[in-house]
Amino acid sequence: MFAKNKKIKVLEIGSNTGFTSIEIAKVIDAEIVGIDVNENAVRQADFILNKESNEVSEKVTFQVGDATNIDFEDDYFDLIITGGANTFIRDREQAIKEYKRVLKPNGFLAITNLFYNKKVPVKLLENLKNILGFEIKLWRREYWLDLFLSSNMELYFYDEQEMQSRSEEMLESYIEYLMSEYSNKNNSNEIPLNEIKEKWTNIMRTFNDNHKYLSYMIVILRNNTINEQQEFFIGKGTIDPWNLEVNNKFW
């Protein structure tokens, strides 16, 4: 995908606490920048990065940044990666334009994005709204594909998988793990531990239920300098980017 003996430039949109950018630094020789609108997340990413070896940490930088106004020049990055952050970007059309602007000709945009594969019970939507503080829209596959393909970049690769919820036993075990981690890091607890545990259990149970209705897509787009020739014969079930049917974007 990339030229040999060339140090590629990678941008992660919505780097959060830095996990993905750091993992990339462990497997390829690249200059990696992670941006996030949340200052606290950037500080935590820097904290975690400083624990890594110099071989890893010298490849990565984190900074506060807005996906709709990326502070880099045109044609700068070889690869842009982004995941769940797209859900929280209000002006997504502008963000897609920015991704394309800072991406080099023939560079790649790799997207991992959740979408709803069926209708969701009203009560679950209410619970999600109470936790997140905003109303969740039931975006279908077609909504996101239509958005990403509006960039006029080539659909280089597409795949999707259904998410799965975990058992109640696994949920309870995970909550115990979170509580042990929290207790180790917080010696003086202003809030009683049982209240914290109850809140985390309610949150994780809601998210776990939500996964029964979710799938995720892996989309790789290439920033072609010449428009791709339209294909007529394609495999059964293959996404046809030239004739994408967008009858319903929401459930």
Side-chain angles (χ1 to χ4, degrees), residues 21-27 30 32 49 52-61:
S21 289
I22 292 172
E23 285 299 304
I24 291 173
K26 292 177 180 179
V27 296
I32 304 160
L49 181 63
E52 295 288 345
S53 65
N54 290 337
E55 183 181 2
V56 172
S57 61
E58 67 184 10
K59 299 178 185 178
V60 186
T61 57

Side-chain angles (χ1 to χ4, degrees), residues 182-183 186-193 196:
Y182 178 81
S183 299
N186 297 272
N187 296 322
S188 57
N189 299 304
E190 298 180 359
I191 304 175
L193 289 177
I196 296 174

Side-chain angles (χ1 to χ4, degrees), residues 96-159:
I96 296 297
K97 291 177 182 177
E98 280 291 275
Y99 300 168
K100 185 172 183 178
R101 179 185 67 79
V102 299
L103 191 60
K104 290 181 180 179
N106 299 314
F108 288 89
L109 169 61
I111 305 166
T112 305
N113 215 93
L114 292 169
F115 65 91
Y116 282 97
N117 56 46
K118 58 178 71 74
K119 290 184 178 180
V120 180
V122 173
K123 180 60 177 177
L124 177 55
L125 290 176
E126 292 175 354
N127 292 340
L128 286 169
K129 182 179 180 180
N130 291 335
I131 291 171
L132 298 173
F134 58 87
E135 184 177 352
I136 289 290
K137 291 187 177 181
L138 300 183
W139 294 291
R140 300 175 66 152
R141 170 199 303 108
E142 289 75 14
Y143 169 82
W144 292 108
L145 276 174
D146 185 53
L147 172 68
F148 299 144
L149 292 175
S150 69
S151 65
N152 292 320
M153 288 190 277
E154 173 196 356
L155 181 59
Y156 187 82
F157 175 85
Y158 179 86
D159 192 19

Side-chain angles (χ1 to χ4, degrees), residues 23-41:
E23 285 299 304
I24 291 173
K26 292 177 180 179
V27 296
I28 63 173
D29 188 19
E31 297 175 12
I32 304 160
V33 179
I35 65 171
D36 200 289
V37 294
N38 189 321
E39 294 183 12
N40 291 329

